[in-house]
Amino acid sequence: MLWLPEQNDRLHARFAGFRTLLLEPRRAIWEGVLKPTSQAYDVRVDFELPAHFALNATTYQYYPRVYVLRPELEEHPDYELGPIPHVWWDRRYRRQPNLCLFRPLKNEWSWDDAIADTTLPDASEWLFFYEFWLATGRWRGGGEHAGDPLKSNDNTETLSRDALSAAGTAALAGR
């Protein structure tokens, strides 16, 4: 398990521009900028540990949540997986969804994972695919989300980030 002071040190080593807004024994909040393309995004990472690990809390309940502060995520109900694909709405920040970066029930993230090595790179990748979604109306980042699982037989094509970089440059530049 990585405790919050160690998470904080690793995050600042890899993402020097991020600020620590809160560092308590059980909760930490960081803010900084991610720039997957030419667009910069101000993001907040809010991470809380359970009060008692003996209660067998799961990562489904306690995982790092990433919120995009600026620019505000655009809603497009008419786009594929709209109004905003692959996000969770929760009680903490009612007007800002947190990014769906992994499947909690599949244990794709654990308390042994460094936020700087998993969550923030995944958030940057999510933002890259979000920009492609804005330009084309189609989600190409893959994934599965409650209520709209992407099945292998649903005619939804998943492209790699490298393939999208080559194919999507013109679409992104033209928006």
Side-chain angles (χ1 to χ4, degrees):
M1 157 139 219
L2 293 177
W3 295 100
L4 293 179
E6 188 175 3
Q7 290 280 12
N8 190 59
D9 291 345
R10 287 186 182 203
L11 193 139
H12 288 292
R14 185 160 181 193
F15 294 90
F18 269 69
R19 304 177 296 151
T20 302
L21 300 181
L22 177 73
L23 184 60
E24 295 178 342
R26 288 190 41 241
R27 186 170 178 210
I29 299 175
W30 299 276
E31 283 186 3
V33 175
L34 293 176
K35 192 173 179 183
T37 63
S38 60
Q39 175 67 53
Y41 295 88
D42 294 332
V43 300
R44 172 178 291 152
V45 179
D46 191 330
F47 183 43
E48 185 174 1
L49 296 172
H52 302 286
F53 282 100
L55 297 177
N56 294 324
T58 65
T59 56
Y60 179 76
Q61 298 160 312
Y62 297 92
Y63 61 90
R65 289 169 164 82
V66 178
Y67 300 90
V68 177
L69 304 176
R70 283 170 296 285
E72 188 173 318
L73 295 176
E74 294 181 29
E75 294 188 28
H76 293 279
D78 55 324
Y79 284 16
E80 181 178 88
L81 303 179
I84 304 173
H86 296 283
V87 295
W88 297 102
W89 297 91
D90 62 34
R91 289 182 217 119
R92 186 162 285 163
Y93 301 100
R94 291 194 185 272
R95 298 198 67 228
Q96 295 171 314
N98 70 79
L99 308 184
C100 181
L101 303 174
F102 60 92
R103 296 174 294 181
L105 295 175
K106 303 264 184 183
N107 296 317
E108 292 178 342
W109 190 88
S110 83
W111 291 308
D112 295 327
D113 292 336
I115 291 168
D117 298 334
T118 58
T119 306
L120 285 174
D122 290 349
S124 185
E125 183 175 48
W126 187 99
L127 290 165
F128 173 87
F129 285 113
Y130 166 77
E131 288 187 20
F132 193 83
W133 176 80
L134 284 177
T136 67
R138 311 260 337 243
W139 181 259
R140 292 294 180 248
E144 178 182 302
H145 193 74
D148 64 356
L150 298 179
K151 300 174 185 162
S152 59
N153 62 355
D154 72 352
N155 297 327
T156 300
E157 173 183 350
T158 300
L159 301 176
S160 72
R161 183 175 178 162
D162 291 338
L164 277 174
S165 290
T169 303
L172 289 173
R175 69 172 171 173

